[in-house]
Amino acid sequence: MPIIKSAGMNARNAALAPESETSVHTGDTAVASLAERPALHTGAHSSPAQSPTTVRKIKEAAKTLLPDALFLSLLHHKCIGRYPRLIHPVTFNEKILQRNLHPDPRYIRLSDKLLVREYIARKIGDKHLIPLIAAPDSFTPDVFDALPDAFVMKANHGSSFVEVVTNKSETSFEKLKKLADRWLHTDFYCVARERHYEMIEPRIFFEQLLLDQRGRIPADFKLHCFGGRPGRPIIYILVISDRFGDATHGDVYDIDWNHLDIEIGDYKRSPAPAPRPRHLQAVLDVAARLCEDFDYVRVDLYAPDNLVYFGELTFTPGAGVLPFTPDSIDFEWGKLMA
């Protein structure tokens, strides 16, 4: 089986992907409005219309000049449909925007997908870490040659930097090197102004490819954990199934595995709930342990068969521009955060 590409985009990536000139909505942002303003007609000496590529480059360059708070306000309006209250936040997304602008210093090290491994090993034990194959200072042909037939290539400094390789003979060093270089040259802070990512030094690393007993990539368990109170945290479980395939779904469950009528981002619910995992309590116990020092964090886990592996800690999911269906969930989850 060839390399499997990630299917679909999360809310952050979908919102910030370059827009084609046929899909721009007038008024989405001040930058879009400026770029779409028709050229003035001045007679025989008029300049020719700018190409779509030129217009897009102007728009992207103009966005970089916006202050973080203004950029995030416009982006929130574009994705959520209303301007955020940044001074007195109420909704989940508004409170995440505050984290973008004023991150806890701990977020830097714990959002680094390499450095966080030390924290996880101390907190819950290295048995929950996906085996690390290599974290080289640079990606060279020798590194590629030493990789096993199947592996996952990742970058440590942002979201969606994941390439699954199931058969190394069907790819090449040059192909992966080009992809890795693109990741390394992406300033993830600039994507959605999540300031803690600005302090992470980009690196490429390689992990073992996790497969369940049927040889399939396990589902992602993204546990939204609201702590900061006595007793167990409040947890909602988003399960992303067939993430790298053609039938990707996102289903939200409570801790009793009730299938909730909630959609997060672009993920659509499955027609029917998945069977309750036999080791659901082990998944919940790991998430509760990892979230106990925070009033909110999303804990990403993989749970193939009867095992539980750590994926990442995310403190600003969706960068504060994460659509919910119904929209009332944005307000309900906002009440659970400090």
Side-chain angles (χ1 to χ4, degrees):
M1 190 173 183
I3 297 175
I4 305 173
K5 297 292 185 181
S6 176
M9 292 188 291
N10 60 31
R12 178 198 289 110
N13 294 341
L16 297 173
E19 299 165 280
S20 69
E21 297 308 303
T22 58
S23 65
V24 172
H25 299 285
T26 302
D28 275 346
T29 68
V31 174
S33 298
L34 177 63
E36 293 157 8
R37 192 171 297 156
L40 296 176
H41 294 285
T42 57
H45 300 289
S46 299
S47 300
Q50 292 174 312
S51 69
T53 300
T54 301
V55 172
R56 186 178 298 117
K57 288 180 178 178
I58 292 173
K59 287 168 58 177
E60 294 304 315
K63 288 178 185 179
T64 66
L65 301 177
L66 293 175
D68 288 353
L70 176 58
F71 177 95
L72 291 171
S73 293
L74 294 171
L75 184 59
H76 185 277
H77 180 265
K78 176 180 179 178
C79 298
I80 307 300
R82 55 179 172 267
Y83 289 105
R85 291 155 289 211
L86 293 179
I87 298 177
H88 299 293
V90 172
T91 68
F92 175 82
N93 275 306
E94 289 168 348
K95 292 181 178 182
I96 294 300
L97 290 181
Q98 282 280 20
R99 288 184 168 202
N100 289 4
L101 296 170
H102 308 288
D104 185 316
R106 294 176 296 174
Y107 296 172
I108 300 170
R109 190 172 187 86
L110 298 182
S111 296
D112 184 317
K113 294 175 176 57
L114 278 172
L115 296 183
V116 71
R117 293 173 64 90
E118 301 173 10
Y119 175 82
I120 298 303
R122 292 196 308 269
K123 195 77 175 175
I124 58 174
D126 56 13
K127 67 179 181 180
H128 295 291
L129 291 171
I130 300 173
L132 183 66
I133 298 171
D137 293 332
S138 61
F139 184 28
T140 64
D142 287 342
V143 172
F144 177 78
D145 290 343
L147 293 171
D149 289 337
F151 57 88
V152 181
M153 182 175 80
K154 297 181 178 181
N156 68 321
H157 67 295
S159 175
S160 299
F161 297 140
V162 179
E163 182 75 350
V164 176
V165 176
T166 59
N167 188 341
K168 191 172 71 168
S169 67
E170 297 183 13
T171 187
S172 66
F173 166 74
E174 290 76 17
K175 184 176 181 179
L176 293 183
K177 174 66 171 174
K178 183 178 180 180
L179 178 60
D181 286 346
R182 186 166 79 241
W183 291 349
L184 292 174
H185 287 92
T186 299
D187 185 344
F188 201 72
Y189 154 75
C190 292
V191 174
R193 310 298 176 91
E194 297 162 280
R195 289 178 173 172
H196 50 294
Y197 285 109
E198 189 174 21
M199 307 303 294
I200 298 175
E201 180 183 356
R203 292 186 64 187
I204 296 296
F205 64 101
F206 301 87
E207 288 181 341
Q208 177 181 310
L209 174 61
L210 290 183
L211 298 173
D212 62 21
Q213 290 180 349
R214 293 174 291 181
R216 300 191 306 188
I217 297 174
D220 287 8
F221 282 66
K222 299 182 180 296
L223 296 100
H224 292 267
C225 304
F226 300 88
R229 57 179 58 81
R232 302 255 322 167
I234 296 172
I235 297 178
Y236 291 94
I237 311 163
L238 170 63
V239 180
I240 310 299
S241 55
D242 197 31
R243 178 183 171 190
F244 300 97
D246 298 323
T248 306
H249 289 92
D251 296 277
V252 182
Y253 301 88
D254 63 17
I255 60 172
D256 296 315
W257 206 248
N258 295 307
H259 195 203
L260 305 180
D261 190 13
I262 297 173
E263 292 181 357
I264 299 178
D266 297 326
Y267 295 113
K268 301 302 180 184
R269 297 172 78 240
S270 301
R276 177 190 176 106
R278 288 178 297 174
H279 58 313
L280 175 61
Q281 192 57 54
V283 172
L284 294 171
D285 289 344
V286 168
R289 185 84 173 95
L290 291 178
C291 78
E292 62 186 7
D293 297 327
F294 311 100
D295 67 330
Y296 167 81
V297 64
R298 196 189 76 201
V299 178
D300 291 6
L301 302 172
Y302 301 99
D305 307 315
N306 291 317
L307 304 173
V308 180
Y309 287 102
F310 170 76
E312 64 181 273
L313 298 178
T314 303
F315 298 95
T316 53
V321 295
L322 186 63
F324 290 93
T325 304
D327 182 58
S328 59
I329 300 300
D330 201 2
F331 293 84
E332 292 178 18
W333 284 20
K335 294 177 182 177
L336 299 177
M337 294 180 68

